[in-house]
């Protein structure tokens, strides 16, 4: 059994694997997380506050239920301050507990631990991820790119046209799968994200048309099939980006949270058959097979 030491706190790894703690993390019930930490460590509210960058009064308000923590920045600071292990951090930031991973048994079950061992980084938002791994770093030397999601702004808005043209003309294959701007799923997403009717549809249609006209139509005739565009009309679960069958970037869509603000995971394919990479690889393939090509 290992113990994680934070500022004036020593927290056993067993606490993060307990059912009560995992339930609290999945519910983003920071009040219960603080109570469980205090119960296990006999720490005062002041000590918890020092570790997490909060005042004693703020910790008191959170613990009593008078204040609820929803900011990703504050949640991330709490993760860091309490030195949460990776699985606990993922559960809190994603706001869901994944039964298939059997997180409660990771301490004793090495086989289960291997299933998320290929997750190499987690960012609190897409902007934090892009600041660390900008598009030119991801794409400039890629030979195969597969992307599915909503409007795919990372490719269509944040990667320069001249770079993309050069890449595709040199032989890189790019498959882009957009949420259908004329479908029902994108209208549901607009309502959930509190966008005006037609906002996401117009943005997605613009990205599709720009990709077709500014990129595909300007490629040499022999290279135009290097870019394939498709649409699907299903509730969006995640943006999935796969590069060269080695790197996967996943951003889940969470209730009442816009995509740009959602946590982002980086997964690097390993030689072992276990891990999350094969799951998202299959997710893209299945969605592509059900899509309509443009």
């Amino acid at each position: 059994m290992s113990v994680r030491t934070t500022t004036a706190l020593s927290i056993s790894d067993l606490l993060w694997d307990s059912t009560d703690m995992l339930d609290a993390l999945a519910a983003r019930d920071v009040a219960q997380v603080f109570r469980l930490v205090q119960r296990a460590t006999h720490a005062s509210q002041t000590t918890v506050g020092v570790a997490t960058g909060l005042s004693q009064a703020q910790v008191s308000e959170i613990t009593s239920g008078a204040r609820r923590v929803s900011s990703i920045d504050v949640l991330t600071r709490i993760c860091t301050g309490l030195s949460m292990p990776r699985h606990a951090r993922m559960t809190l930031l994603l706001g869901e507990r994944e039964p298939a991973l059997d997180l409660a048994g990771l301490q004793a079950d090495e086989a289960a631990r291997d299933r998320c061992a290929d997750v190499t980084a987690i960012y609190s938002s897409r902007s934090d991820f892009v600041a660390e791994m900008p598009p030119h770093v991801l794409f400039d030397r890629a030979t195969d790119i597969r992307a599915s999601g909503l409007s795919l702004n990372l490719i269509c808005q944040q990667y320069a046209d001249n770079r993309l043209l050069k890449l595709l003309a040199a032989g890189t294959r790019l498959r882009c799968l957009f949420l259908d701007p004329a479908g029902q799923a994108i209208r549901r997403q607009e309502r959930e994200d509190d966008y005006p009717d037609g906002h996401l549809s117009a943005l997605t249609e613009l990205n599709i048309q720009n990709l077709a006209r500014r990129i595909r139509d300007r490629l040499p005739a022999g290279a135009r099939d290097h870019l394939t565009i498709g649409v699907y009309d299903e509730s969006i679960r995640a943006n999935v980006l796969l590069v060269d069958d080695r790197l996967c970037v996943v951003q889940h869509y969470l209730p009442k949270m816009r995509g740009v603000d959602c946590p982002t995971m980086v997964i690097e394919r390993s030689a072992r058959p276990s891990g999350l990479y094969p799951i998202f690889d299959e997710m893209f393939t299945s969605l592509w097979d059900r899509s309509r090509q443009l």
Side-chain angles (χ1 to χ4, degrees):
M1 178 184 73
S2 61
V3 173
R4 294 174 181 267
T5 301
T6 71
T7 305
L9 284 175
S10 295
I11 304 173
S12 168
D13 276 355
L14 294 178
L15 177 63
W16 301 116
D17 292 328
S18 68
T19 299
D20 288 346
M21 178 60 80
L22 289 167
D23 287 344
L25 292 170
R28 287 187 174 170
D29 186 352
V30 178
Q32 178 67 352
V33 171
F34 282 175
R35 285 192 290 268
L36 291 170
V37 168
Q38 287 184 272
R39 188 183 306 161
T41 64
H42 305 290
S44 66
Q45 291 181 346
T46 300
T47 300
V48 173
V50 169
T52 57
L54 299 168
S55 68
Q56 182 275 327
Q58 288 173 319
V59 173
S60 177
E61 290 177 349
I62 292 169
T63 305
S64 68
R67 176 192 292 238
R68 183 166 180 83
V69 180
S70 58
S71 165
I72 287 294
D73 289 340
V74 176
L75 291 172
T76 302
R77 194 164 71 237
I78 290 170
C79 290
T80 302
L82 298 181
S83 296
M84 289 187 191
R86 177 183 292 166
H87 70 275
R89 181 184 294 253
M90 287 175 61
T91 303
L92 179 64
L93 292 180
L94 294 179
E96 60 182 17
R97 185 173 175 182
E98 178 54 71
L101 292 179
D102 189 22
L103 295 177
L106 285 178
Q107 180 70 26
D109 187 352
E110 289 298 327
R113 189 184 297 275
D114 284 347
R115 297 180 68 178
C116 61
D118 54 356
V119 177
T120 57
I122 302 174
Y123 298 88
S124 61
S125 67
R126 185 193 304 169
S127 57
D128 286 348
F129 163 73
V130 171
E132 185 72 21
M133 298 183 71
H136 70 271
V137 172
L138 286 169
F139 302 138
D140 273 0
R141 296 185 179 182
T143 59
D144 183 78
I145 302 167
R146 294 173 288 161
S148 67
L150 204 163
S151 302
L152 305 187
N153 287 333
L154 189 67
I155 293 173
C156 299
Q157 300 290 337
Q158 296 177 270
Y159 191 56
D161 285 0
N162 62 334
R163 287 178 181 267
L164 189 53
L165 283 165
K166 181 180 178 181
L167 205 63
L168 293 168
T172 295
R173 300 279 176 170
L174 172 62
R175 280 179 279 175
C176 291
L177 189 52
F178 296 86
L179 197 59
D180 190 344
Q184 295 302 310
I186 201 165
R187 287 170 172 76
R188 292 194 298 270
Q189 194 65 39
E190 286 173 337
R191 291 193 294 270
E192 181 173 314
D193 291 346
D194 294 325
Y195 281 116
D197 289 347
H199 177 85
L200 291 177
S201 296
L203 174 61
T204 304
E205 180 64 30
L206 178 64
N207 282 353
I208 291 172
Q209 294 303 320
N210 284 343
L211 201 59
R213 295 171 183 171
R214 290 196 330 227
I215 304 299
R216 187 165 60 188
D217 290 354
R218 293 169 59 191
L219 286 168
R224 288 176 186 168
D225 63 349
H226 295 174
L227 170 59
T228 313
I229 302 170
V231 295
Y232 67 103
D233 188 20
E234 302 177 23
S235 294
I236 186 168
R237 306 300 183 190
N239 282 322
V240 177
L241 173 68
L242 298 129
V243 181
D244 288 342
D245 206 26
R246 61 172 179 80
L247 182 71
C248 177
V249 180
V250 179
Q251 181 182 35
H252 291 280
Y253 276 81
L254 304 180
K256 303 301 180 183
M257 184 177 291
R258 294 182 178 181
V260 70
D261 297 321
C262 291
T264 301
M265 290 192 302
V266 179
I267 303 167
E268 294 185 25
R269 188 166 201 164
S270 67
R272 293 175 294 184
S274 59
L276 296 182
Y277 188 99
I279 294 173
F280 291 107
D281 186 21
E282 173 58 29
M283 176 181 171
F284 177 90
T285 300
S286 177
L287 199 57
W288 184 264
D289 289 344
R290 299 194 304 274
S291 69
R292 175 170 58 90
Q293 309 301 301
L294 301 179

